[in-house]
Amino acid sequence: MRLSPIIAAACALLSKHVGADQSEEETVDLTIVELAQSDPDNFSILLSLVDEAGLAETLSSEGPFTLFAPTNDAFDEIPDEIISFWREDGDALKNVLMYHVLNGAISSTDLVDGGDYKSLEGSDLHVHDMGGVPEIGNEALDYFVNILLADVTASNGVIHVIEEVLITEDILELLEELSFDDEEESFDNEEQFFDDETGDLTILQLGQADPDNFSILLSLVDEAGLAEALSSEGPF
């Protein structure tokens, strides 16, 4: 994963705005949204979803906010069906994104091990400190994600880059539902292999009833001299 663009942007902006007589804690001139826009290779998906959810104006306002920003790679791990559902359901998309945002500019050093932080969505984000490396996530689901790059300072808050999309109970339920639907669809496709009732047909006749799928198998069975065997009483 390339994080160099946002690192370069952060360093360049800090070097530009933090002079010899200035504190290194002085914020840069770009908002959270503008800073993410400086690295489309990593944050174009996040930005497009933020825009669709109508949150760009909020994250460009005075704030301050803390954004746990999933990369494009993180969103690529989410099934397309989930992304499509979010895009179609504005409230669901907005809730997912607001689960990644806290009120206030909270640096990584302020993330206390075992602490709970109320997201704009309303649910808590729980901090789990793994030997000095904070993870953020959902304690009830025992689901935590790593912070890849912490404390990217914006004029209206701070960005922490995370390696996965944060999951709530609602998102997990949706993932499970889609997984179940996929299994049902797969089962339905298996039933469509055979249009005829199967009770009176032999194994060989069933294969012959669906040449689109089994013509190669049937030819190999015939060449091997097994057609008569697979037409016999069996059972096989």
Side-chain angles (χ1 to χ4, degrees):
M1 179 186 303
R2 282 197 314 114
L3 293 175
S4 55
I6 197 165
I7 295 174
C11 291
L13 288 167
L14 285 173
S15 63
K16 175 181 177 181
H17 295 286
V18 179
D21 297 327
Q22 293 174 304
S23 167
E24 291 188 358
E25 294 180 358
E26 183 176 340
T27 58
V28 297
D29 290 340
L30 298 186
T31 66
I32 287 172
V33 170
E34 291 170 333
L35 193 51
Q37 287 171 340
S38 72
D39 192 353
D41 289 343
N42 282 301
F43 300 108
S44 60
I45 297 177
L46 173 63
L47 288 166
S48 69
L49 295 177
V50 164
D51 187 60
E52 290 179 34
L55 292 174
E57 184 176 353
T58 298
L59 293 176
S60 298
S61 65
E62 185 176 353
F65 304 105
T66 298
L67 172 65
F68 295 96
T71 62
N72 288 347
D73 287 344
F75 280 108
D76 285 341
E77 294 300 315
I78 301 293
D80 291 339
E81 295 89 345
I82 297 287
I83 300 293
S84 296
F85 174 81
W86 290 342
R87 291 184 185 277
E88 294 168 5
D89 188 323
D91 289 338
L93 176 59
K94 192 171 184 177
N95 286 336
V96 168
L97 295 173
M98 289 196 301
Y99 187 57
H100 292 73
V101 183
L102 307 178
N103 267 319
I106 303 174
S107 68
S108 60
T109 56
D110 292 328
L111 294 174
V112 180
D113 184 26
D116 290 314
Y117 298 82
K118 186 74 69 178
S119 71
L120 293 190
E121 180 265 344
S123 301
D124 286 338
L125 285 171
H126 188 79
V127 175
H128 185 209
D129 194 332
M130 294 289 291
V133 180
E135 296 179 327
I136 193 80
N138 189 307
E139 185 179 26
L141 299 178
D142 193 26
Y143 177 83
F144 297 92
V145 305
N146 292 325
I147 296 177
L148 298 175
L149 178 64
D151 304 323
V152 180
T153 307
S155 63
N156 63 339
V158 63
I159 296 175
H160 303 302
V161 181
I162 56 176
E163 68 174 347
E164 296 177 54
V165 175
L166 293 168
I167 299 295
T168 64
E169 286 86 347
D170 290 342
I171 298 174
L172 181 61
E173 288 177 5
L174 183 59
L175 285 166
E176 291 174 343
E177 287 175 8
L178 287 174
S179 176
F180 180 74
D181 290 342
D182 289 343
E183 290 177 2
E184 282 192 330
E185 182 179 350
S186 177
F187 182 73
D188 290 340
N189 288 338
E190 290 176 4
E191 291 181 330
Q192 292 169 11
F193 282 136
F194 305 106
D195 294 329
D196 298 328
E197 294 184 3
T198 61
D200 296 331
L201 300 182
T202 65
I203 289 175
L204 190 68
Q205 289 169 332
L206 279 173
Q208 291 169 337
D210 192 353
D212 289 341
N213 286 300
F214 301 110
S215 59
I216 296 175
L217 172 63
L218 289 168
S219 66
L220 295 176
V221 165
D222 187 62
E223 291 177 23
L226 294 174
E228 184 176 353
L230 293 178
S231 299
S232 66
E233 184 175 353
F236 304 107

